[in-house]
Amino acid sequence: MEKLKCVVPDRLKRRVEESHVDDLPSLSSSLLQLFLSLPQFHQLISELAAEPATQAGLCGKNEGAALDLKEKGNQCYSSGDHSQALRCYSQALRLAPIDAHHTGKNLVATLYLNRASLFHKMGLSMESLRDCSRALEISPSYPKVWCRRGKVNATLGNYEDSVHDLSVAKDMEPSIGGKKQIERELDMLARHHEKKIPKPASQKSVEIPDVPSEIKLQCVKTPDKGRGMVSQFDIPQASLIHAEEPYAVVILKHCRETHCHYCLNELPADTIPCFSCSLPLYCSQHCQVRAGGPIHIPDTMVGSNFKPTLECIPEHKHECQGVHWPAILPSDVVLAGRVVVKTMEQKGQFTDVPNLSETLGLCESYSKMSPESKLELHIYSIVLLFCLHHSFSSELSINGDSASQIVILLSQIRVNSIAVVRMKSNTNDSYDQQDWFQNFSFGEAEAASSVEQVRVGQALYKAASLFNHSCLPNIHAYFISRTLLLRTTEFVSGGCPLELSYGPPVGQWDCKDRLRFLEEEYFFRCWCRGCSEVNESDLVISGFCCVNPNCSGVILDNLVANCEKQKPKVPETISNESHLQVHELKDIDIKKVANISLDQTQSSFHVGSGYCLKCGSYCNFASRSKEVKKAWTDFRRLQDSIASKDTCGTNLTDALRSLGLLRSILHAYNKGIAEAEDILAKAFCFIGDFEPARDHCKASIEILEKLYGPNHIAIGYELAKLASIQLALGDCTAVYNINRLSAMFSTYYGPQAGIIFPYLLVLERERSRIIQ
Ligand SMILES: C[S@@+](CC[C@H](N)C(=O)[O-])C[C@H]1O[C@@H](n2cnc3c(N)ncnc32)[C@H](O)[C@@H]1O
């Protein structure tokens, strides 16, 4: 990419810099001419798009490597290194061509059989059963697989299935010795079969609820946010208002080895690879078929030139010929490829990239992008066009019009695609133990109740792209597999905009940071209520306290003050505003003073770095900031000592002293104090001193309630930690906090709360135990 950027002459770079959407076809055409004349461009395309000449390519199948891994897996199995054996077999499955044979057997079927035997040995019977069935689908006349599946079914208590499988194995087994061995298995099975054990429950499948028919949404034109969605009628809090499957989706690179490339859920141990390339991994055949297409394999294909038959229009199909580009190009470019292919297939035309703006109806951001980003879009659009020409349709014309359509699409993806996230949650079996809370570890509770969301994919949802952003959102987005669900987090009256948060909301970041994030990521100046009206959270979140001990005012730094001054609307009444976030600030008059101070026509106060908004007293902001920075080194040290499981005696004392300092310098609701209190809670839990841990956790929550409002989901995660500490202390007030967090989670996630956040179920079980 950098090499291609460098060869673009300044004259063309200037054209890119000044270009608008209307200029794109001729500009794309000029860039295309340029690249076509460059040998390094052709070299790049052949590396990305040509099928690997040798089987050793990055994404191609590789029989030799698969056989080596199979051997290594067998050795590890024999020496008892089960986890390494599993890695070897799974990697071999990824590399083995579907038509490869070894010692007269299909290699893939043999690998599934070997992995099934390993799973059986490891006690993973369901995984073993699934692998046996996969092997039989490929090679239905493989007696060893029938025999293994018979044994696994016996372990699972599936008596009839077991007898059936072993009987088939016996009939197929060519050797007398082998037949006798299977007969012995059958006899043993009959002796041990006293009573039939019920089959284990099949894998959990999550129902996606329907949006109630009375929820009617409308797309309207707004004065400063383009189109937006509103409700036609009043909608109660916690209502599901929208559910949508993605138009296209792609897994992020860092999740390729850990999450299913189709549904984006975490991978089980018995992963399934793609039949045609070595890139994707799937959690089930269901996902593999949807992504790569079903496969029908005759058992009699030894030595034949077998090519798998791919049916329907699976999304990975055009990328899966062992070519490198899906592994190398950025995720949003691969996503663009999927969108182009899907659109062309839907239209049934394969020569020109269709007019995507018309087809998708999404807003674009091209003109607002930096010259550097624009040039990147142009280069990627041409590269992608060549890759699609090679892997998808050789009829696809390579011209300025098609390339410019892809430039627009890439700019649409920048502002309309949604990150698919998963909650990082520890579903450790130890939660099932009765005495878990007696052996409580804050680290475990924190991992379990972690607020951390991991981005696993990037997707385009056509209808959901019409929802605008607000830093004070009234709807919440979450995912079940790849389905996007939107739920109201408050009562929304008919005609009101329905807006979700594209980034950190009010309470998490101050206004200047939010504005910068939205400008950089989505190219717009946010005009939501949180960024256009003064709110208390933004004033105090990074504020300092007044030097005057009798004043409860707040002192802002220069950047925050400037940002607040630019808010065009300062609400005149404070107490009657129903939507205000912070209802019970002790020093509510900060807001009144802020309103006057920030409205420069009415105020004689200085609003700038170092002046108190309430009394106008001045403090040396720079020197106080330095003290705060220094205090934070103590908290970092404490965090490090917890992370390295050191005893933190002096570090804890230093951090406690620094908390006092922070409290004397920062405003009482500064987010930094909440973070410091949280670290202290963790440290006290670490040393098993739960009472101070509880107090620090509560102190942190009190501040967060002021910043986010009392019912925000961010408080829910903190309440999960507090309730865990209270349970460890045998403190029954945990019940109150569990009730609160249950209510919060069902507002945000409805009946799926326990799936999204499994730790909630653990806490609810504890609550039932206490109440009984
Ligand atoms: C995903 S789209 C939302 C639908 C869009 N308004 C439309 O007409 O298609 C995102 C774009 O909407 C606009 N937008 C969304 N929220 C906004 C806000 N709070 N303030 C200003 N513009 C906003 C921006 O132009 C942004 O790039």
Side-chain angles (χ1 to χ4, degrees), residues 4 46 238 370 391 407 435 520 645 690 756:
L4 288 180
S46 74
S370 68
S391 322
V407 172
D435 60 350
E520 284 173 5
K645 301 202 185 312
F690 294 128
I756 302 280

Side-chain angles (χ1 to χ4, degrees), residues 33-225:
Q33 292 309 318
L34 169 75
F35 289 146
L36 281 172
S37 67
L38 300 172
Q40 60 265 53
F41 176 74
H42 293 284
Q43 171 69 24
L44 174 80
I45 297 299
S46 74
E47 282 165 15
L48 286 172
E51 278 180 51
T54 66
Q55 283 198 324
L58 180 66
C59 307
K61 297 286 183 183
N62 185 337
E63 189 177 339
L67 281 169
D68 289 348
L69 280 160
K70 174 177 162 277
E71 274 319 301
K72 204 167 159 214
N74 291 348
Q75 281 162 16
C76 293
Y77 186 126
S78 309
S79 65
D81 186 352
H82 292 164
S83 54
Q84 186 57 16
L86 178 55
R87 266 194 291 277
C88 290
Y89 290 146
S90 297
Q91 188 57 18
L93 274 165
R94 234 166 151 177
L95 294 174
I98 191 67
D99 53 351
H101 282 75
H102 184 61
T103 57
K105 298 275 180 241
N106 176 283
L107 178 58
V108 175
T110 305
L111 285 165
Y112 275 130
L113 168 63
N114 289 8
R115 201 172 68 171
S117 309
L118 174 68
F119 281 139
H120 200 188
K121 181 125 193 153
M122 291 165 82
L124 299 170
S125 305
M126 287 309 292
E127 286 79 353
S128 181
L129 189 69
R130 289 196 291 261
D131 267 1
C132 288
S133 301
R134 287 164 194 152
L136 288 178
E137 222 165 275
I138 300 168
S139 289
S141 47
Y142 199 157
K144 270 192 177 171
V145 187
W146 286 102
C147 184
R148 171 60 55 194
R149 200 171 78 172
K151 290 178 187 174
V152 177
N153 268 321
T155 307
L156 285 166
N158 305 333
Y159 176 69
E160 274 136 31
D161 293 346
S162 174
V163 171
H164 168 265
D165 290 348
L166 289 170
S167 307
V168 176
K170 196 181 105 184
D171 291 347
M172 281 182 183
E173 176 56 46
S175 73
I176 311 278
K179 275 191 198 294
K180 286 225 160 91
Q181 174 67 32
I182 298 170
E183 263 167 26
R184 277 197 292 276
E185 291 282 346
L186 277 163
D187 286 349
M188 225 155 57
L189 190 62
R191 272 202 306 278
H192 283 104
H193 176 63
E194 277 149 13
K195 64 173 191 268
K196 203 174 161 192
I197 305 160
K199 283 191 181 189
S202 57
Q203 273 193 316
K204 273 184 270 167
S205 73
V206 180
E207 292 269 314
I208 308 288
D210 288 331
V211 175
S213 56
E214 66 272 19
I215 303 282
K216 299 245 183 302
L217 308 184
Q218 212 181 353
C219 179
V220 296
K221 195 107 195 84
T222 71
D224 38 29
K225 301 176 192 166

Side-chain angles (χ1 to χ4, degrees), residues 273-288:
C274 173
F275 284 110
S276 303
C277 74
S278 59
L279 192 60
L281 288 173
Y282 302 106
C283 67
S284 63
Q285 211 140 353
H286 176 89
C287 286
Q288 184 267 318

